[in-house]
Amino acid sequence: MSDSEAASNGGGVLDAVAARLLDASVLERIGIAVASTTLAILIGLVVAAATGYDPVQFASQLLVGAFGSERAIARTLRSTTLFVLTGVAVAIAFRAGVFNIGVQGQFVVGGFSTVVSIIWLAAFVPSGTVGGIVLMLSGTAAGVVTGGLYGALPGVMKAYGDANEIITTIMLNFIATGFVGWLVAGPFGDPEATATRTRRLPDNVELPQAVFGDPNLSIVGILLMLGVVALVAVITSRTRFGYDMVTSGYQDTAATYSGVDAKRMVISTMTFSGMVAGLTGALFVIMIQGYYTDPSGIGNYGFDAIAVSLLAANNPLGVLPAGLLFGGLESASSHVQINSDVPVQLIDGIVGLVVLFVAAPELFRMIAARTGLGGDAE
Amino acid sequence: MTDRQAEVDETSGIGRRMLLASGGALATGTVFAGCLGGGGGSDDGGSDGSTTQVAIISSPAGFDDNAFNDNAVDGLEQASDEFDLEYTTVEETQEAQYESVQADTAESGYDLIICVGDNHTDPLSTNAEEYPDQNWMLINNVIEGADNVSGWIEMNNEMSFLAGVAAGVMTQEDFEYEGSSTDPDGSTVGFVGGEDIPLINAFEQSYIEGVEWVDDGIEVLTGYGGSFSDTGAANDVAESQIDDGADIVWHAASAAGGGVFSAAQDNGRFALGVDVDQSVTEDQYQDVILGSSVKALNEATYTVAEAVVNGNFSEYVGEQNLSIAQGSIDFVVGQAFEGELPDALSENIQDAKEGFENDEIELTCGPTSC
Amino acid sequence: MTRNAPAVRLEGITKRFGDVVANDAVDFTLDQGSIHALLGENGSGKTTLMSVLYGLYDQNSGTIHVDGEERTFESPRDAMDAGVGMIHQHFQLVKPMTVLQNVILGHEPTEGGTVDEASARAEIEDICDRYGFDIDRELDTPVEELDLGAQQRVEIVKSLYRGAEVLILDEPTAVLTPQEVDGLMEVMNDLREDGRSLIFISHKLDEALEIADDITVLRDGKAMGTVPAAETTESDLARMMVGREVLFDRLERDPGTGAPVLEVEDLRVSGDRGRERVEGVDLTVHEGEILGIAGVQGNGQSELIEGITGLRRPDDGIVRLGGTDIADRSRRDRIEDGIAYIPEDRQTEGLVQEYSLQRNALLGNQTIEPYAKNGFLDWDAVENHAADVIEEYDVQPPNPETDAESLSGGNQQKFIVGREIGHDPDVLVASHPTRGVDIGSIEFIHERLMELRDQGVGILMVSSKLEEIQKLSDRIAVMYEGEFVDVVDPEAVTESDLGLLMAGGTLAEGSDDESESVDGGVSS
């Protein structure tokens, strides 16, 4: 027997596993996600018990921390908004078979350009509510456009230079973080601030609060999140562009056969994905931050979004519960830190397990689909 | 090390909370589960018989940075050993969350909440007003007009000056140790910064003034590696300074400083550490680290915690300094060089410190910028 | 070993994949020194049965005897050790490695820790001499530079080098030219005379009848019987395979005299690696005509078709549809212009495997009303279309919700044909319209193509099956190395004439000259 036969034999097992995962129906995948999440939390509780903490109390802390009070719910929704929106950005690209790992970078440049454009425009726009709305709309537009362009860039490099988008988007993340960090520290820094940050957005740039009275959560943000999810869901399922995009993701050769221009598709997908990431950046600065700071300290929403999207099997609607789970865990981890002696790392561990149980197999499934493992047996 | 530097370190961080936040929380663990109940802090801290509860919220660099954040926790650890006091670490690496985390912590009824890092300033100016009965401690800035915030500013300029004094003295000495030596013929020293930003420019300028305080004939070579984490870049800068005659090199480059130490080690010259006793934290280079300019943040947190326990927090409200006069900025001799260094060094350091205590030395730069 | 025992005896082999029974209590006996053909349609279980014998699958029940001894093969290595070798349909060769390296891969003779190439070389040359293989001159050539026939001989040498007494050849003729098929038959004959035993998997009746001693027919995983080749006929075998009478008659020909509908002038198209693969082709398809293109695969047919359908942008030349040059129009434009296309590869191009048939019914029709208006899709219209195609073309299972991947090749192909000709195209380009399709579906698809032709549609068809080309075409163009070498009347040529043209020869007088040019063209 030759090595290649050995490989194909060993590949048989892999093939079988891959085939099984490829065959998983939507319901099965939801089942897998729910079961894995439950299992991850159970393991977390067992570890808590094994290390001498009261697991029942830990569980209740998780719940209380995520949903136990108005403050907690507001905190959860705030994170959820960002996880869902960045998750949708990732899902758009993954759906189309383009591995946009650069959502974080697009999120950063989008948010930064929102801040810069609002501060610049503020000099020409009257203060007051109307001026504030004008500033927010134009700032958001700037964020969306910049995020879209920053996403389009690796798309163009892939389409016309055959540059692997995984590598280019990762590199562009570093560039975004470094360059915006430099801009924030230098040319765009607030000369009066001691910390590294830009000037604050003008006072009239403020969204109306949600029911919970949390200054960093607005009903507009929540509605925007739901609107984007609905929009992306409609686009992917009911439009020609969505069909072209999803078909390219499943089988690019079939998409080409059906008249999709593969190069243009990659670019428009990356642009679309980057636009949603840029929108998230705009919402982040307008609703939460109020200025821009060193991007290394704004969180990893664009990276966590990969796990959110995978947990949702890259379905825009599925991103809602997945984002809520991540938002809830993030919120609970903040609560647990402050209010109990259970190490917060346990919650990170649970998030890690969810990723391991759900997202990793999903990623494997996607790779299997791409490489033809588990494909036609004949 | 400064929070700015630590924050940059975070860019390479993989897990946001890679290690256990602090041994402290577990070590002192005891019964501390659940909400602490409402009530808020009493007016002036004041231990009315119950255990004093302190929370410390990290800078974006997070805990376990072997510097800034951990240094602040050390003071609390010490306080918890000596008083009826418990503390909780709250790690938050996202600046955008500070407003919310501070408020959540305030809602949980701690007697004192310590916010590490300048990044807490803006949110805290809101929350100090929102929670007027809460005692706050802010490290690296002050909240103007707040009567419930103890704001601590580290006099980085003084610290840098002491490093300059040490470098200025040593370059003029004829000193040898295990293969390294000063250059008796020349008197040139070096400074390697991380990023070229106002904060580090203040370090640089104050260092130069320290060198010149010793002898303004000494040449100071300065350069920036451009990063707080790229040891290779810092190494290149230090190597070229040593080539140009520098025999003592100090750095303000955070984690990238290791490159400066290795340059000194490879070329048989000496270096100085920053923030903490780096001959201990970077002990593979202890044979070239003559000493370190340090700031003792732990003393600040210890002092304020103690004040809360004793009910006299109000004495520390407003601007406080981590300064030579406070005894919290100093120059320590490297662990391999204890008793080895010439008396001129300790004499000059002592003179410089007295100069600050008596307000005889004026610096061009403030603690965070010029 | 018992010399008189059969080389291989399979008894009651049953192999299930989930609920699917791929082999149902199959008995099979291979006599020593004989060739036994295993015949059946695609999906009848031939490959599965042989994979059980070769140790790739574990059977659920049944026994394997080799040379009279019962064996269980955990892996192909076990089978190999027992002297059973298999030549897969898709060659298991490492393309950039040389012939020698491929042959000895995994069985390198070593001397003092290093590979003893000299002794391996001698042994391989010995094998080649014995069976008249020509590849001994190519031992240091990377496999990827060889044509498929030569690669197949490398596979055979590889098995022989490892001491295979029983050789399983899985559809070995599928990729070969008629002349290469003849060469393979000779090799198989030589191997048989040398005392080796061969299993020949095929769905081609004539080949089985020509070479085999015995023929076993599989249908739906069951063995329908074993007959000596000398005592059976094509129609008997076809009946066994399909389970009913199959017509082999030619369909009526109607040489098209309609207006030109597709005209191509001096078309030049480059392949994936930038090399020109279509080097100036002129062709005209008239209304109501089928123009068949014959040729050995890889002579530019794919590129020609892609240049016409818009999947590849031509470097130069004119593609005129109904009088308008469309050479610069995109694939999507050309779909809208009325070019339907049954693609070469239904698995990767014609269908999205994970889509339901309903979603697949939209493939290629995304911009066409009533399925799409202003960028939005009308799924009801798509669903109706899918249901119509399924009904009209008898696609099994008749459920629009079924994923394409769970359909058999024949049903997939019927669905594609139905989808593509469902919109009254002006021109249909059909590439290998019945490749890998069972006999029943072939007939059905052929009938549909003829109907379409009779309705006045111009059809351009590429096929590697000469009988298909001859049966359907009104004219046959033969393509060789990027050019049309001849356009012939199907009634006036034989299959071997076509084979000759396909190899770059000409239909001149005098057969001696011809055969020489064949040799020059075929062996690489």
Side-chain angles (χ1 to χ4, degrees):
Chain A
M1 185 179 95
S2 75
D3 284 359
S4 53
E5 279 159 359
S8 69
N9 193 30
V13 179
L14 201 62
D15 236 31
V17 176
R20 182 74 200 89
L21 285 165
L22 280 169
D23 287 345
S25 71
V26 172
L27 269 179
E28 280 177 318
R29 276 192 223 161
I30 293 174
I32 292 171
V34 171
S36 306
T37 306
T38 313
L39 184 63
I41 291 173
L42 283 178
I43 291 177
L45 295 180
V46 170
V47 172
T51 45
Y53 302 97
D54 181 351
V56 176
Q57 194 211 319
F58 179 52
S60 74
Q61 288 283 348
L62 281 183
L63 265 181
V64 169
F67 304 106
S69 64
E70 280 201 1
R71 294 188 66 84
I73 294 173
R75 199 168 55 215
T76 298
L77 287 178
R78 190 169 64 222
S79 302
T80 301
T81 311
L82 299 177
F83 282 126
V84 167
L85 283 173
T86 48
V88 168
V90 172
I92 289 167
F94 280 22
R95 259 319 234 351
V98 182
F99 287 82
N100 181 9
I101 311 297
V103 167
Q104 177 78 10
Q106 293 141 17
F107 169 73
V108 165
V109 297
F112 177 73
S113 59
T114 300
V115 169
V116 169
S117 62
I118 288 180
I119 288 173
W120 181 76
L121 272 175
F124 308 101
V125 172
S127 55
T129 318
V130 178
I133 292 172
V134 170
L135 286 177
M136 284 189 279
L137 287 178
S138 49
T140 305
V144 170
V145 169
T146 318
L149 288 174
Y150 208 66
L153 183 63
V156 170
M157 290 194 281
K158 181 179 172 68
Y160 294 103
D162 209 19
N164 183 315
E165 78 276 18
I166 298 178
I167 293 166
T168 53
T169 53
I170 289 175
M171 285 163 60
L172 284 167
N173 283 336
F174 284 116
I175 292 171
T177 305
F179 189 60
V180 171
W182 177 75
L183 289 175
V184 168
F188 289 95
D190 180 354
E192 286 167 21
T194 45
T196 314
R197 65 166 172 82
T198 62
R199 282 161 55 205
R200 290 176 157 280
L201 297 178
D203 289 339
N204 59 344
V205 172
E206 197 175 23
L207 294 170
Q209 287 181 3
V211 274
F212 302 113
D214 184 310
N216 291 326
L217 177 66
S218 165
I219 189 76
V220 175
I222 295 172
L223 291 177
L224 185 72
M225 167 186 83
L226 294 173
V228 168
V229 167
L231 181 73
V232 172
V234 166
I235 287 177
T236 48
S237 63
R238 302 235 144 240
T239 67
R240 178 182 66 81
F241 175 74
Y243 182 84
D244 284 358
M245 199 179 86
V246 174
T247 304
S248 304
Y250 273 108
Q251 216 169 291
D252 53 350
T253 43
T256 307
Y257 162 80
S258 78
V260 176
D261 182 327
K263 291 184 196 305
R264 268 197 229 156
M265 198 67 227
V266 166
I267 297 169
S268 31
T269 301
M270 285 296 297
T271 308
F272 188 16
S273 175
M275 284 166 72
V276 175
L279 176 69
T280 320
L283 182 67
F284 171 77
V285 295
I286 292 173
M287 182 173 89
I288 302 175
Q289 183 101 291
Y291 52 87
Y292 220 78
T293 179
D294 188 321
S296 53
I298 64 157
N300 293 319
Y301 294 101
F303 295 119
D304 293 337
I306 296 168
V308 170
S309 178
L310 290 172
L311 182 61
N314 304 323
N315 182 319
L317 294 176
V319 166
L320 276 179
L324 186 63
L325 174 70
F326 273 67
L329 284 170
E330 170 130 329
S331 175
S333 83
S334 179
H335 176 82
V336 165
Q337 281 206 94
I338 296 168
N339 292 302
S340 82
D341 59 342
V342 175
V344 68
Q345 283 70 24
L346 260 179
I347 297 181
D348 287 348
I350 289 174
V351 173
L353 287 173
V354 171
V355 172
L356 191 69
F357 291 160
V358 193
E362 181 63 22
L363 191 66
F364 177 62
R365 200 189 69 81
M366 286 175 68
I367 292 169
R370 292 243 99 186
T371 55
L373 266 179
D376 51 315
E378 190 66 33
Chain B
M1 178 151 107
T2 70
D3 61 331
R4 175 74 186 93
Q5 291 161 289
E7 187 181 319
V8 172
D9 286 353
E10 181 64 11
T11 51
S12 63
I14 296 160
R16 270 172 291 155
R17 307 175 183 106
M18 281 205 299
L19 293 167
L20 198 56
S22 162
L26 290 173
T28 56
T30 67
V31 194
F32 190 56
C35 293
L36 290 159
S42 54
D43 272 341
D44 208 32
S47 86
D48 36 359
S50 66
T51 304
T52 302
Q53 302 287 0
V54 180
I56 179 166
I57 308 173
S58 74
S59 83
F63 295 107
D64 293 302
D65 58 351
N66 281 327
F68 199 48
N69 288 288
D70 285 357
N71 203 347
V73 172
D74 281 346
L76 291 181
E77 181 61 29
Q78 194 188 344
S80 71
D81 288 344
E82 294 176 21
F83 313 115
D84 182 14
L85 176 146
E86 287 168 355
Y87 69 91
T88 295
T89 55
V90 179
E91 181 162 272
E92 181 52 66
T93 55
Q94 297 176 39
E95 195 174 329
Q97 302 283 2
Y98 282 150
E99 185 165 338
S100 154
V101 169
Q102 287 170 5
D104 288 341
T105 315
E107 293 278 335
S108 297
Y110 286 94
D111 299 305
L112 172 66
I113 300 171
I114 301 173
C115 301
V116 184
D118 202 9
N119 316 66
H120 282 279
T121 308
D122 285 334
L124 186 55
S125 53
T126 308
N127 279 319
E129 223 172 283
E130 197 78 14
Y131 299 93
D133 297 334
Q134 174 70 51
N135 297 325
W136 302 91
M137 175 179 182
L138 173 62
I139 290 166
N140 261 9
N141 213 331
V142 293
I143 305 290
E144 298 290 345
D147 61 1
N148 56 340
V149 180
S150 175
W152 289 73
I153 293 177
E154 304 170 313
M155 304 304 278
N156 294 316
N157 47 352
E158 296 184 4
M159 183 176 74
S160 306
F161 188 89
L162 287 189
V165 171
V169 171
M170 288 308 294
T171 188
Q172 293 180 324
E173 296 285 329
D174 191 355
F175 181 75
E176 270 188 55
Y177 180 83
E178 290 192 0
S180 289
S181 64
T182 57
D183 177 4
D185 304 326
S187 49
T188 305
V189 298
F191 168 83
V192 178
E195 288 180 21
D196 192 354
I197 54 173
L199 175 73
I200 305 299
N201 297 153
F203 276 67
E204 174 189 351
Q205 180 59 32
S206 307
Y207 173 75
I208 293 171
E209 288 172 16
V211 175
E212 289 175 347
W213 180 81
V214 177
D215 180 346
D216 56 15
I218 300 171
E219 194 184 349
V220 186
L221 306 173
T222 64
Y224 288 83
S227 152
F228 289 113
S229 53
D230 183 350
T231 51
N235 184 277
D236 288 345
V237 176
E239 288 266 0
S240 77
Q241 290 175 350
I242 290 169
D243 282 350
D244 292 344
D247 48 9
I248 314 283
V249 183
W250 185 56
H251 80 90
S254 183
V260 173
F261 299 142
S262 66
Q265 207 170 44
D266 294 344
N267 292 283
R269 297 301 188 195
F270 296 106
L272 300 171
V274 70
D275 286 345
V276 295
D277 185 352
Q278 292 200 289
S279 71
V280 176
T281 57
E282 303 267 349
D283 61 358
Q284 71 270 38
Y285 301 116
Q286 56 172 295
D287 59 331
V288 294
I289 300 175
L290 294 171
S292 303
S293 249
V294 299
K295 53 191 176 193
L297 195 52
N298 52 341
E299 295 195 10
T301 52
Y302 177 85
T303 305
V304 175
E306 181 185 25
V308 171
V309 171
N310 296 332
N312 56 356
F313 173 76
S314 57
E315 286 175 25
Y316 292 93
V317 163
E319 178 174 340
Q320 306 291 319
N321 288 324
L322 268 183
S323 63
I324 289 173
Q326 287 261 346
S328 40
I329 283 187
D330 206 346
F331 181 85
V332 297
V333 172
Q335 59 172 332
F337 293 91
E338 269 166 49
E340 304 277 338
L341 297 177
D343 294 340
L345 178 64
S346 53
E347 284 162 12
N348 274 283
I349 293 284
Q350 196 52 41
D351 285 353
K353 282 160 68 174
E354 279 167 19
F356 280 108
E357 282 162 20
N358 302 329
D359 286 333
E360 289 161 7
I361 298 175
E362 294 257 326
L363 293 177
T364 317
C365 296
T368 55
S369 65
C370 295
Chain C
M1 83 169 74
T2 358
R3 198 61 218 177
N4 296 328
V8 170
R9 191 155 53 88
L10 303 178
E11 280 178 6
I13 298 289
T14 297
K15 174 66 192 169
R16 279 187 290 271
F17 295 102
D19 299 332
V20 181
V21 182
N23 290 141
D24 189 357
V26 175
D27 294 333
F28 178 87
T29 303
L30 171 66
D31 290 333
Q32 295 281 359
S34 76
I35 297 177
H36 194 141
L38 194 53
L39 208 57
E41 298 191 54
N42 282 70
S44 59
K46 306 181 299 275
T47 302
T48 304
L49 184 67
M50 288 304 107
S51 297
V52 167
L53 169 59
Y54 191 51
L56 283 168
Y57 298 142
D58 277 340
Q59 68 269 34
N60 295 92
S61 61
T63 56
I64 300 173
H65 288 81
V66 176
D67 285 329
E69 279 176 52
E70 182 169 351
R71 313 293 287 248
T72 35
F73 298 143
E74 298 285 324
S75 71
R77 187 170 282 276
D78 291 349
M80 207 70 233
D81 290 344
V84 178
M86 183 158 174
I87 316 299
H88 295 271
Q89 203 171 351
H90 304 285
F91 302 147
Q92 315 272 308
L93 296 170
V94 187
K95 295 270 161 70
M97 284 168 67
T98 65
V99 171
L100 178 85
Q101 286 166 338
N102 266 290
V103 170
I104 65 175
L105 189 68
H107 285 68
E108 295 88 347
T110 51
E111 195 179 282
T114 58
V115 177
D116 182 5
E117 272 203 18
S119 78
R121 188 179 297 271
E123 197 176 333
I124 295 167
E125 280 170 356
D126 191 45
I127 292 169
C128 289
D129 283 351
R130 206 154 132 206
Y131 299 105
F133 289 132
D134 53 357
I135 58 164
D136 51 348
R137 294 190 303 275
E138 316 260 19
L139 285 185
D140 297 313
T141 309
V143 160
E144 61 196 348
E145 290 175 19
L146 301 182
D147 62 32
L148 291 174
Q151 290 189 19
Q152 188 173 60
R153 291 193 284 280
V154 174
E155 280 281 16
I156 294 172
V157 171
K158 198 168 87 180
S159 282
L160 295 174
Y161 177 78
R162 286 156 202 204
E165 292 294 329
V166 174
L167 277 170
I168 307 164
L169 296 119
D170 189 3
E171 307 249 0
T173 59
V175 295
L176 304 182
T177 64
Q179 278 73 15
E180 282 177 321
V181 169
D182 290 345
L184 176 69
M185 295 292 174
E186 266 176 50
V187 167
M188 287 170 68
N189 222 355
D190 289 348
L191 288 167
R192 170 168 58 191
E193 277 169 22
D194 196 48
R196 298 186 204 251
S197 317
L198 284 78
I199 301 172
F200 174 65
I201 304 177
S202 181
H203 60 249
K204 294 182 184 164
L205 310 177
D206 51 340
E207 288 172 356
L209 283 169
E210 182 187 338
I211 189 76
D213 300 303
D214 302 295
I215 300 174
T216 295
V217 177
L218 285 186
R219 189 169 85 220
D220 296 335
K222 294 194 185 74
M224 304 312 293
T226 302
V227 289
E231 296 170 17
T232 186
T233 64
E234 274 198 32
S235 46
D236 288 345
L237 290 173
R239 199 168 41 242
M240 283 170 82
M241 275 169 75
V242 183
R244 62 183 163 79
E245 211 62 48
V246 178
L247 300 172
F248 282 91
D249 298 338
R250 280 193 170 168
L251 295 158
E252 240 176 82
R253 218 173 297 280
D254 179 18
T257 48
V261 60
L262 175 71
E263 292 164 281
V264 169
E265 283 174 29
D266 193 29
L267 191 70
R268 292 175 184 276
V269 188
S270 296
D272 286 335
R273 299 202 189 125
R275 216 187 87 200
E276 192 169 86
R277 302 302 302 270
V278 178
E279 304 174 9
V281 163
D282 299 308
L283 67 85
T284 304
V285 181
H286 301 89
E287 283 177 2
E289 173 191 53
I290 296 180
L291 174 64
I293 299 178
V296 177
Q297 243 183 51
N299 275 285
Q301 303 98 313
S302 302
E303 288 80 4
L304 172 64
I305 275 190
E306 290 177 353
I308 292 171
T309 54
L311 282 170
R312 225 174 254 279
R313 188 136 300 195
D315 300 333
D316 202 9
I318 293 170
V319 178
R320 217 176 276 129
L321 182 71
T324 318
D325 185 7
I326 56 165
D328 286 332
R329 302 204 14 112
S330 71
R331 163 83 185 126
R332 179 148 279 164
D333 292 339
R334 294 188 207 194
I335 292 173
E336 291 168 7
D337 291 342
I339 297 186
Y341 176 33
I342 298 167
E344 184 173 338
D345 188 337
R346 63 171 165 265
Q347 303 268 353
T348 64
E349 291 187 301
L351 294 170
V352 178
Q353 295 298 320
E354 290 175 78
Y355 276 1
S356 64
L357 289 180
Q358 185 185 320
R359 284 182 80 80
N360 268 305
L362 186 63
L363 196 71
N365 296 330
Q366 293 105 301
T367 55
I368 294 176
E369 288 201 33
Y371 314 118
K373 271 180 209 138
N374 306 321
F376 282 88
L377 304 173
D378 182 348
W379 283 110
D380 289 338
V382 177
E383 200 172 337
N384 288 337
H385 180 43
D388 288 349
V389 170
I390 289 168
E391 195 192 332
E392 194 177 334
Y393 285 79
D394 187 31
V395 176
Q396 294 296 331
N399 175 7
E401 303 292 327
T402 313
D403 281 354
E405 62 188 343
S406 58
L407 263 61
S408 72
N411 282 303
Q412 287 184 345
Q413 192 71 13
K414 284 195 285 189
F415 183 82
I416 293 174
V417 172
R419 181 186 68 201
E420 289 304 308
I421 64 185
H423 299 288
D424 304 323
D426 298 324
V427 169
L428 171 69
V429 178
S431 185
H432 306 280
T434 60
R435 173 187 281 175
V437 171
D438 51 87
I439 292 180
S441 300
I442 290 175
E443 259 190 308
F444 183 84
I445 291 170
H446 284 173
E447 280 165 19
R448 294 286 90 74
L449 292 176
M450 298 301 288
E451 272 172 31
L452 202 64
R453 182 198 71 168
D454 293 344
Q455 288 162 16
V457 175
I459 300 177
L460 180 66
M461 182 179 76
V462 166
S463 176
S464 55
K465 294 185 197 163
L466 290 182
E467 75 271 19
E468 179 168 77
I469 293 270
Q470 284 199 295
K471 178 177 163 192
L472 296 182
S473 305
D474 297 302
R475 287 184 298 144
I476 298 174
V478 181
M479 198 165 180
Y480 176 71
E481 295 198 338
E483 291 173 14
F484 279 0
V485 288
D486 210 344
V487 177
V488 295
D489 176 358
E491 302 287 357
V493 290
T494 63
E495 231 176 74
S496 65
D497 289 341
L498 285 175
L500 193 59
L501 289 168
M502 284 160 63
T506 49
L507 287 182
E509 309 297 318
S511 56
D512 283 350
D513 291 339
E514 282 170 25
S515 57
E516 262 175 34
S517 67
V518 170
D519 287 347
V522 174
S523 58
S524 64

